[in-house]
Amino acid sequence: RGVVQRVSPRLASAGEAQPDGSLLYRDAFGPGIDVLYRCNALKTEEFLVIGGADIPVGDTGTGVSPLPSVRTFSWQLELGKNAQRLKPRLTPMHTIELCDEKGVPRLRIDLPEGKDANGARLSAGKELCYTLEDDHLTLRADLSTAKFPVIIDPSWSSTGAFISGGR
């Protein structure tokens, strides 16, 4: 009842299969920002890995152009056509629901979570915020106080309605 045809980082090139079965897109959102996907029957985990020891972030004082401390990450959602099309909606709980023609959520993009290199949490609605414009999803991350590298997890999960076909 609604088909997600494709969801991809807007700048992603071909992914690389990893030994653990995950899929890595290097520099999917620009230099130093990789995307890693892990999937199972009920959930797709997506990890944004931002900055590393060799990627300057914030004011380094070195004259090397750093990554900005506030970053945005965008995805184009291809959600089917006509009656099979899913319609995305942003909820007050900072999740995205992909709903069928009756408004029943079939797939959910969960609250984004993140941690920096020191283990400090990045919270949904504070450092991490979604915006949704038609089929264009953007995650804004304020990394001004983060120690790099940072990992952000905007994971996807099915709803009971998706699994059961709405019965």
Side-chain angles (χ1 to χ4, degrees):
R1 315 227 171 13
V3 177
V4 176
Q5 292 183 335
R6 191 171 94 163
V7 176
S8 60
R10 295 189 69 192
L11 301 176
S13 57
E16 303 167 20
Q18 301 300 295
D20 66 357
S22 60
L23 188 60
L24 176 66
Y25 291 89
R26 293 192 190 279
D27 299 329
F29 288 105
I33 306 171
D34 300 336
V35 177
L36 182 71
Y37 289 100
R38 290 188 191 132
C39 302
N40 65 37
L42 299 177
K43 187 173 186 174
T44 297
E45 291 186 290
E46 177 179 38
F47 300 96
L48 307 178
V49 182
I50 307 161
D54 58 340
I55 303 293
V57 181
D59 183 8
T60 62
T62 63
V64 176
S65 179
L67 295 175
S69 59
V70 176
R71 299 287 304 185
T72 57
F73 307 95
S74 296
W75 294 263
Q76 185 64 44
L77 308 174
E78 294 179 27
L79 302 174
K81 297 181 189 293
N82 305 325
Q84 294 295 311
R85 185 182 189 295
L86 295 175
K87 181 177 170 71
R89 71 178 174 206
L90 179 63
T91 73
M93 296 302 298
H94 305 283
T95 62
I96 304 290
E97 294 178 336
L98 304 177
C99 303
D100 66 13
E101 69 278 359
K102 295 179 181 175
V104 176
R106 299 295 179 171
L107 189 63
R108 182 170 294 115
I109 305 171
D110 298 321
L111 290 168
E113 298 177 355
K115 285 190 178 178
D116 73 4
N118 290 334
R121 289 181 47 90
L122 305 171
S123 301
K126 188 175 177 192
E127 293 92 1
L128 305 173
C129 297
Y130 284 134
T131 57
L132 182 64
E133 187 175 318
D134 298 319
D135 291 346
H136 181 90
L137 173 65
T138 300
L139 172 64
R140 180 184 179 276
D142 181 349
L143 307 175
S144 58
T145 61
K147 172 79 174 145
F148 290 86
V150 170
I151 297 177
I152 299 174
D153 179 8
S155 63
W156 295 62
S157 60
S158 63
T159 66
F162 185 76
I163 296 168
S164 67
R167 290 176 264 171

